[in-house]
Amino acid sequence: MNDFASDYVNNNLIKNKMNNLKSIVLFFLLGLCQSYGDWKQTTVVVSQQKDETLVKRIYADQILFKHSDPQLCIEWSMANNVNTIVLGGEYIFDDRIDVPRSGVNLIVDKDAVFKLNPKTKHTTLSFKASKPDYWGMIPLIYNKGHNDVQVLMFGTSVKYRWETEARGRQTFPIMFDGRNDNGNCGIRGGTMLVTGTATDSFWLVDSSNIKVPIVALDTGPGASLVLEGCEDCDLGMIVNLSPVKGGKTGETIDLNSRSIDISIEKLIGERSNEIIDCNESHVIVDEVVSVGMPQKLFGRGPVSGPRFTNRRSFGTRSLDVKKTTILEKAEKVELIHQIPNLLKDLPVFDVTTVVKVTLKGGEQKEYKKSVKFDLR
C-alpha cells in the first residue's frame, strides 16, 4: 500500500469516525429527500482511467476521490454516499472490500471484473475445517455487522487459492457476517443478488431478514449459496448449473447449520450431488427443479459441522418441499439474465433471470424470477 493509502487508512481513522457521526444525520435527511428526485446527490460512479480508479457524482465530471487501489475508492464511496455504482473494467484489490456502514447499496456492472492482488497482505477469516485454522478465507466483498446493505453483483468475481503445507488461503465472492459476542444475528435486513460470474459460494452468516431474490450461476460451484446461523430469510430463485453440456453440479444451496425460518421460492440444480443440503436447519421450499436426473435430491441431518456461525446448536431440522420436478429428458439448459444498462436505466430498474430447459423432442420449460429496484 502506498503512502496515500496508508494515510487514508491510518492517519484519518479518528477523523473518519467523527465524520461518520455527522454523516448519519446528513444521510438521514437526504434519505427523506430522495423521493423528491435528489437520489443523484447520494449516488456516485466508480470507474477506471488508466492506472487510477475514479469516484464521480453520477452524471457529473467532478472527481470526488481517486486512488490506484480500487478497494479504497469503493470503500470511500460507500462511506460517503448511499449508492455506489461500479462500472465495467478490471479492478485489482490489495485487500477485501469492507462495507463501512449500514444502509448503503453497492451495484457492480456486468462488465466489471473483481480480482485480488496476490502479492499484497490480505485480511483473512478463520475457517473451521479438518485442519483448524489452516484455511484463511478472503471475501472479496465483506459486510461485517451492518444492517440494510444491498449488494447487486452483475459482474465477475475471480477466485484465488493458495495452499502450502503450513497454511491455505482462498477467496469467495461476498459474505454477510453478523457474528457477535451475544451469539445471535448481528445483521438485520439487507439484500444480496447475483447474476454475474463466480466459481465459488456466496455466504450469509448469523444474519436475519435478508432477501436473496436471485443467485444464479452456470459455473458449477460447490454450492451457489451457503447459510449458517440465519433467521427469517426470504430466498427467491437459487440456481446452480454446469458449465458443460450434460454436466453435473454439487449443491444448489447449503444450509450448513443452525438456520431457522428460511423460505425459498425455487431451487434449480443440474444432475446435482444434492440440490439442497439441510443440516440442523428449518426451511420451506416451494419447488425444487432438477435438470436431468439428480445424483441426490436432498441431504439432511440433525447435526452439523459449522464453519463460521456463533449460534448455539439446537439439534433439530425440518425440510418441507412443496413440489419436486425432475426433468429427466433434459438435453440443453440456458441461463439468461436481463439486467439494467448502467447508467441509462437508473434509478428504477428490473432484474430478470430465466432458466430455459430444452427436453428431448424440442419441448421447453422456463423458470423465471423478476425483481424491481428503486434507488430513489
Side-chain angles (χ1 to χ4, degrees):
M1 187 179 292
N2 62 26
D3 291 339
F4 187 98
S6 179
D7 289 343
Y8 169 71
V9 175
N10 297 318
N11 297 340
N12 292 330
L13 182 60
I14 297 176
K15 181 180 178 181
N16 286 344
K17 288 182 178 179
M18 295 301 296
N19 286 340
N20 284 343
L21 294 176
K22 298 176 183 177
S23 297
I24 292 173
V25 178
L26 173 62
F27 285 118
F28 175 74
L29 294 174
L30 289 173
L32 292 178
C33 297
Q34 284 181 358
S35 61
Y36 294 94
D38 287 342
W39 67 275
K40 288 180 284 188
Q41 299 304 313
T42 61
T43 301
V44 293
V45 174
V46 178
S47 63
Q48 295 241 289
Q49 187 177 87
K50 295 182 179 179
D51 295 331
E52 285 191 315
T53 301
L54 310 180
V55 182
K56 298 180 181 180
R57 182 72 58 212
I58 192 170
Y59 308 134
D61 293 328
Q62 181 185 2
I63 298 173
L64 304 176
F65 188 85
K66 64 180 179 179
H67 200 274
S68 59
D69 184 357
Q71 169 209 344
L72 301 181
C73 291
I74 294 173
E75 289 178 352
W76 183 92
S77 299
M78 289 190 287
N80 293 278
N81 299 275
V82 175
N83 304 311
T84 295
I85 299 168
V86 182
L87 297 184
E90 184 180 77
Y91 298 85
I92 302 175
F93 308 115
D94 283 350
D95 202 355
R96 72 189 186 200
I97 298 169
D98 284 300
V99 176
R101 63 190 184 92
S102 296
V104 295
N105 305 320
L106 175 62
I107 304 172
V108 182
D109 184 71
K110 65 180 179 61
D111 294 322
V113 179
F114 280 11
K115 295 182 176 181
L116 191 68
N117 186 345
K119 298 179 181 179
T120 54
K121 185 176 181 180
H122 309 127
T123 307
T124 61
L125 304 174
S126 180
F127 183 79
K128 300 172 187 175
S130 56
K131 295 181 180 180
D133 296 323
Y134 175 79
W135 283 108
M137 309 304 288
I138 311 163
L140 293 180
I141 301 172
Y142 184 54
N143 175 21
K144 175 61 175 176
H146 297 297
N147 302 328
D148 300 316
V149 171
Q150 288 195 115
V151 179
L152 311 184
M153 180 50 124
F154 305 131
T156 297
S157 300
V158 177
K159 179 177 176 63
Y160 290 85
R161 180 185 176 111
W162 304 271
E163 189 170 2
T164 66
E165 185 176 344
R167 190 178 183 215
R169 290 180 296 158
Q170 62 177 303
T171 62
F172 46 75
I174 301 173
M175 181 177 184
F176 284 21
D177 184 358
R179 290 177 293 173
N180 60 85
D181 293 338
N182 296 323
N184 57 18
C185 288
I187 293 178
R188 186 172 184 84
T191 302
M192 182 190 295
L193 180 143
V194 180
T195 64
T197 300
T199 57
D200 212 337
S201 306
F202 293 76
W203 283 75
L204 298 178
V205 178
D206 293 4
S207 302
S208 66
N209 296 104
I210 307 296
K211 297 185 184 301
V212 187
I214 301 169
V215 173
L217 302 172
D218 57 4
T219 54
S224 291
L225 183 64
V226 183
L227 271 68
E228 284 193 355
C230 293
E231 293 182 0
D232 300 311
C233 292
D234 294 326
L235 314 184
M237 189 165 77
I238 314 301
V239 181
N240 189 358
L241 301 178
S242 171
V244 298
K245 184 178 180 179
K248 301 177 181 179
T249 59
E251 301 168 358
T252 298
I253 189 168
D254 186 0
L255 290 163
N256 192 50
S257 55
R258 304 174 190 175
S259 293
I260 192 168
D261 293 334
I262 308 300
S263 61
I264 306 173
E265 291 180 22
K266 199 177 303 293
L267 297 174
I268 302 177
E270 185 173 6
R271 300 173 186 86
S272 306
N273 179 49
E274 292 175 337
I275 288 184
I276 180 170
D277 187 10
C278 180
N279 297 316
E280 197 179 3
S281 294
H282 295 265
V283 59
I284 298 174
V285 185
D286 290 341
E287 185 177 12
V288 166
V289 179
S290 176
V291 178
M293 283 297 295
Q295 301 165 73
K296 186 179 180 181
L297 275 173
F298 312 128
R300 47 194 168 188
V303 296
S304 62
R307 306 301 188 188
F308 290 110
T309 182
N310 285 340
R311 305 298 301 278
R312 182 172 55 87
S313 174
F314 46 76
T316 62
R317 59 94 183 149
S318 64
L319 174 59
D320 182 4
V321 178
K322 304 294 186 183
K323 180 181 179 181
T324 300
T325 301
I326 299 178
L327 303 176
E328 183 178 354
K329 298 182 179 181
E331 284 197 332
K332 179 183 177 182
V333 60
E334 298 174 78
L335 183 62
I336 303 166
H337 299 300
Q338 299 169 13
I339 58 179
N341 180 351
L342 303 176
L343 309 160
K344 180 180 176 182
D345 295 337
L346 303 181
V348 181
F349 58 90
D350 295 313
V351 178
T352 300
T353 290
V354 178
V355 177
K356 181 188 294 186
V357 184
T358 303
L359 308 179
K360 291 180 181 179
E363 182 185 358
Q364 291 188 334
K365 301 284 187 181
E366 285 195 0
Y367 302 92
K368 179 178 179 180
K369 174 67 177 178
S370 295
V371 59
K372 184 181 290 291
F373 292 93
D374 190 343
L375 300 184
R376 293 174 297 181

